[in-house]
Amino acid sequence: MALESMIAPVPSEAVMPFVGFLVADGKWGLFEAILATSIGSFLGSYISYLMGYYGGRPFVLKVGKYLLLDVHDLEMTERFFQRKGSSLTLFASRFIPVVRHLVSIPAGIGKMRFWPFAIATTAGATMWNTFLLLCGFKLRENWEMVQTYRHQFDALIIGMLVVAVAWYVWYKLKRKRTLRAEAAD
């Protein structure tokens, strides 16, 4: 779960239901499984947070242009994660595939305060992990059905991400052209 909470492509949807199977088989206790996976999720998220906190700004300033990021985006991220409402966004993002793997880095870049980060991350990750664990526990006999719906949900999320990335690239390129045109005037 530490790897899942970082940039590593280890989906919790593939890990946690099997933890639920182990709980259902009596090989793990429910409380111990939730505690262990929550600690793993927090540690992975905290490592990503530290990467953003200590290395994010210089990294974005150096190579951000290749990712269509600029100083304006960096400053906007920093302001966002210093706001009080950012904890709710961080919490909610723990339930969104792909986003949950990455969100700790911009929280670190934005120098989000540690305790709101820790509480929102732990609460969101624990709820998500517990949900998947219970799905694995309850649907153990019907694992094929879980896999069928997971693939459909993953396809929907990937489609939405492709559209979001395409829109982001279009928006950034349009903004860059507008700024160049204004500078030329």
Side-chain angles (χ1 to χ4, degrees):
M1 291 313 296
L3 289 174
E4 190 269 343
S5 295
M6 293 174 58
I7 302 169
V10 179
S12 57
E13 295 92 344
V15 175
M16 288 307 300
F18 291 110
V19 174
F21 285 13
L22 294 172
V23 171
D25 288 342
K27 295 179 181 174
W28 278 29
L30 179 62
F31 175 77
E32 291 82 4
I34 293 171
L35 181 64
T37 58
S38 296
I39 290 170
S41 292
F42 174 76
L43 290 176
S45 296
Y46 186 56
I47 290 168
S48 292
Y49 171 85
L50 292 174
M51 288 168 38
Y53 195 93
Y54 290 107
R57 187 173 233 288
F59 179 79
V60 170
L61 291 175
K62 186 174 183 177
V63 299
K65 61 185 172 190
Y66 302 112
L67 302 171
L68 300 175
L69 300 172
D70 57 24
V71 174
H72 171 74
D73 299 315
L74 182 61
E75 290 169 351
M76 199 168 64
T77 299
E78 290 170 342
R79 282 191 307 271
F80 178 82
F81 280 104
Q82 291 170 359
R83 290 186 1 222
K84 289 183 180 183
S86 62
S87 296
L88 183 58
T89 301
L90 185 67
F91 171 80
S93 61
R94 296 294 165 191
F95 301 94
I96 304 170
V98 181
V99 174
R100 73 173 156 265
H101 304 280
L102 303 172
V103 71
S104 297
I105 294 171
I109 290 172
K111 306 285 192 241
M112 184 177 187
R113 292 185 352 254
F114 172 76
W115 286 111
F117 169 82
I119 292 167
T121 295
T122 303
T126 299
M127 289 175 71
W128 178 250
N129 293 346
T130 302
F131 168 73
L132 291 175
L133 183 150
L134 293 174
C135 285
F137 185 87
K138 296 289 185 189
L139 299 174
R140 184 170 169 255
E141 295 85 25
N142 301 309
W143 183 240
E144 295 80 25
M145 183 175 68
V146 173
Q147 288 291 58
T148 300
Y149 290 117
R150 185 187 69 83
H151 291 305
Q152 291 170 351
F153 184 69
D154 287 348
L156 175 67
I157 295 297
I158 289 170
M160 289 173 21
L161 286 172
V162 166
V163 168
V165 167
W167 176 85
Y168 175 78
V169 169
W170 172 81
Y171 172 79
K172 295 301 279 185
L173 293 174
K174 180 181 171 193
R175 185 169 159 248
K176 199 178 259 190
R177 274 182 268 156
T178 303
L179 291 174
R180 274 193 221 138
E182 289 174 359
D185 289 340

